[in-house]
């Protein structure tokens, strides 16, 4: 052993102690952050525990990327994307506690504002840094939808930066996407990219930006497009929003005849094998992980209610009726 090796060996205990102290300080800071999040959360411990039971996961002390990935996938598998409230005449209230109670206590799902609103509240209660973002969905001929057309979540973890989480878009990514990554991101739901958006139909290139923040975020950043299998899915504004900003969008989607949500009841979730099951009106569609589908028409109200109960965990007293008339 030469002198350099001897010096290195002699300083190892001190270095180890320094690393240990730094780790303890980092862990303490993360714990303080989680406690602060819990203190400001509208969700009490029993409600958080009920939500986690619905998802079938254990409470985790650290808001890490692995925890986020597990919660995201479990949410897609257990909490359906559905618009049944629209067709049952139920009020949709965009308040975090009401949304979480709908998922965790009533055993229901919802559309994007409800699902991502509830999921964001859960993540915040678990110590994640969560920012709601507004999106506009691409429609026919690449036209963008209304302002506040969609709600997605920017989630910051303690160990792996920022992620785009979205459990409220229906057929989409199974796992959160790396928010700052501009290359391809492979997922069971397809190949995704998050790219800088071009000008919209009016020739305007958005980008009010969001405040620069420690460890990520660029003030004045341009809007972003979420792309799946080379098709633009929705455009995101990077400016931070709050849940109340989406009230008008939720009202439009639940009342306007131009909204696809008012045309027929739909209920859909990811299956354990990575496929999807969807009930649209009385038509049941089963798709496996390879994309092979089978469809059949359900015979009567009893069978429809049975599928809601047995395949989606939703107990209804009556079959949802499309706003325009019967179940279609």
């Amino acid at each position: 052993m030469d002198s350099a090796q001897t010096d290195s060996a002699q300083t190892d205990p001190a270095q180890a102690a320094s690393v240990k102290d730094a780790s303890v300080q980092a862990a303490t800071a993360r714990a303080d952050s989680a406690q602060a999040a819990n203190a400001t959360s509208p969700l009490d411990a029993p409600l958080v525990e009920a939500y986690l039971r619905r998802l079938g996961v254990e409470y985790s002390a650290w808001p890490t990327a692995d925890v986020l990935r597990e919660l995201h996938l479990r949410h897609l598998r257990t909490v359906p994307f559905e618009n049944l409230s629209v067709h049952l005449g139920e009020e949709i209230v965009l308040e975090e506690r009401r949304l979480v109670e709908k998922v965790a206590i009533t055993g229901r799902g919802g559309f994007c504002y409800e699902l991502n609103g509830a999921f964001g509240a859960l993540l915040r209660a678990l110590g994640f840094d969560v920012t709601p973002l507004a999106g506009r969905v691409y429609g026919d001929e690449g036209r963008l939808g209304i302002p506040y057309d969609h709600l997605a979540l920017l989630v910051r973890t303690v160990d792996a930066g920022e992620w785009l989480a979205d459990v409220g878009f229906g057929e989409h990514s199974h796992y959160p996407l790396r928010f700052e990554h501009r290359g391809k991101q492979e997922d069971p739901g397809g190949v995704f990219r998050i790219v800088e958006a071009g000008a919209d139909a009016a020739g305007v290139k958005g980008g009010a930006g969001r405040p620069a923040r420690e460890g990520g975020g660029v003030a004045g950043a341009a809007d972003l497009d979420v792309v799946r299998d080379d098709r633009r899915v929705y455009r995101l504004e990077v400016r931070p929003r709050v849940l109340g900003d989406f009230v008008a969008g939720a009202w439009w989607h639940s009342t306007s005849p131009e909204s696809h949500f008012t045309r027929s009841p739909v209920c859909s979730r990811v299956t354990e094998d990575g496929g999807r099951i969807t009930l649209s009106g009385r038509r049941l569609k089963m798709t496996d992980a390879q994309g092979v589908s089978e469809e059949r028409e359900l015979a009567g109200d009893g069978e429809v209610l049975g599928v809601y109960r047995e395949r989606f965990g939703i107990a209804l007293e009556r079959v949802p009726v499309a706003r325009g008339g019967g179940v279609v």
Side-chain angles (χ1 to χ4, degrees):
M1 180 181 293
D2 61 25
S3 60
Q5 290 175 317
T6 301
D7 291 343
S8 175
Q10 290 175 342
T11 57
D12 280 347
Q15 289 175 341
S18 176
V19 170
K20 181 178 180 181
D21 288 344
S23 298
V24 170
Q25 291 173 0
T28 301
R30 288 194 294 266
D32 289 344
S33 176
Q35 290 175 349
N38 287 330
T40 59
S41 171
L43 312 185
D44 51 31
L47 192 52
V48 172
E49 292 168 1
Y51 204 150
L52 294 176
R53 280 197 303 273
R54 173 87 193 273
L55 301 184
V57 298
E58 300 290 332
Y59 178 85
S60 177
W62 301 112
T64 65
D66 284 344
V67 171
L68 175 62
R69 284 171 57 84
E70 180 184 14
L71 291 169
H72 198 278
L73 181 60
R74 290 302 305 166
H75 208 286
L76 292 171
R77 287 178 174 175
T78 58
V79 183
F81 176 87
E82 48 105 333
N83 64 346
L84 305 184
S85 289
V86 174
H87 304 283
L88 289 169
E90 298 172 345
E91 184 182 15
I92 296 172
V93 181
L94 296 191
E95 295 175 2
E96 286 187 343
R97 187 176 183 89
R98 292 277 295 272
L99 297 179
V100 171
E101 287 174 343
K102 183 176 182 180
V103 170
I105 305 302
T106 310
R108 288 283 300 279
F111 57 1
C112 72
Y113 311 106
E114 299 173 284
L115 294 180
N116 283 325
F119 190 50
L122 173 66
L123 294 177
R124 199 172 292 111
L126 295 177
F128 290 92
D129 183 356
V130 181
T131 302
L133 299 179
R136 299 174 68 189
V137 179
Y138 280 94
D140 296 338
E141 299 179 358
R143 287 192 293 267
L144 289 167
I146 65 169
Y148 301 102
D149 197 20
H150 182 59
L151 164 61
L153 302 172
L154 173 62
V155 182
R156 191 181 189 195
T157 63
V158 296
D159 64 335
E162 294 179 323
W163 299 78
L164 177 65
D166 192 346
V167 297
F169 196 75
E171 191 172 352
H172 197 57
S173 68
H174 293 196
Y175 294 100
L177 303 174
R178 289 187 176 274
F179 189 74
E180 301 291 346
H181 185 63
R182 296 295 173 260
K184 293 181 179 180
Q185 303 188 52
E186 294 188 1
D187 180 270
V191 178
F192 291 82
R193 288 183 298 133
I194 300 176
V195 300
E196 185 172 320
D200 61 17
V204 176
K205 187 174 182 178
R210 59 188 171 112
R213 57 197 293 184
E214 183 181 353
V218 180
D223 291 348
L224 301 172
D225 278 343
V226 178
V227 180
R228 177 189 179 213
D229 296 334
D230 295 324
R231 183 178 68 85
R232 294 178 187 267
V233 179
Y234 59 78
R235 175 168 295 192
L236 278 176
E237 298 178 6
V238 295
R239 175 182 174 183
R241 299 293 182 178
V242 296
L243 191 56
D245 291 337
F246 296 88
V247 170
W251 173 82
W252 188 88
H253 273 301
S254 60
T255 60
S256 173
E258 298 299 318
S259 167
H260 60 276
F261 288 113
T262 63
R263 297 172 188 172
S264 174
V266 65
C267 189
S268 182
R269 68 172 179 84
V270 173
T271 55
E272 293 294 330
D273 65 356
R276 177 169 291 276
I277 178 171
T278 301
L279 179 59
S280 181
R282 295 188 185 276
R283 180 166 291 275
L284 179 64
K285 181 178 181 180
M286 301 283 295
T287 306
D288 65 21
Q290 287 69 47
V292 179
S293 299
E294 294 183 4
E295 297 186 39
R296 68 183 181 91
E297 198 78 11
L298 302 184
D301 287 2
E303 190 174 12
V304 172
L305 294 175
V307 168
Y308 278 127
R309 182 177 59 253
E310 296 165 13
R311 307 308 297 269
F312 298 101
I314 296 178
L316 299 177
E317 295 181 355
R318 59 186 175 89
V319 173
V321 177
R323 289 172 61 93
V327 179
V328 296

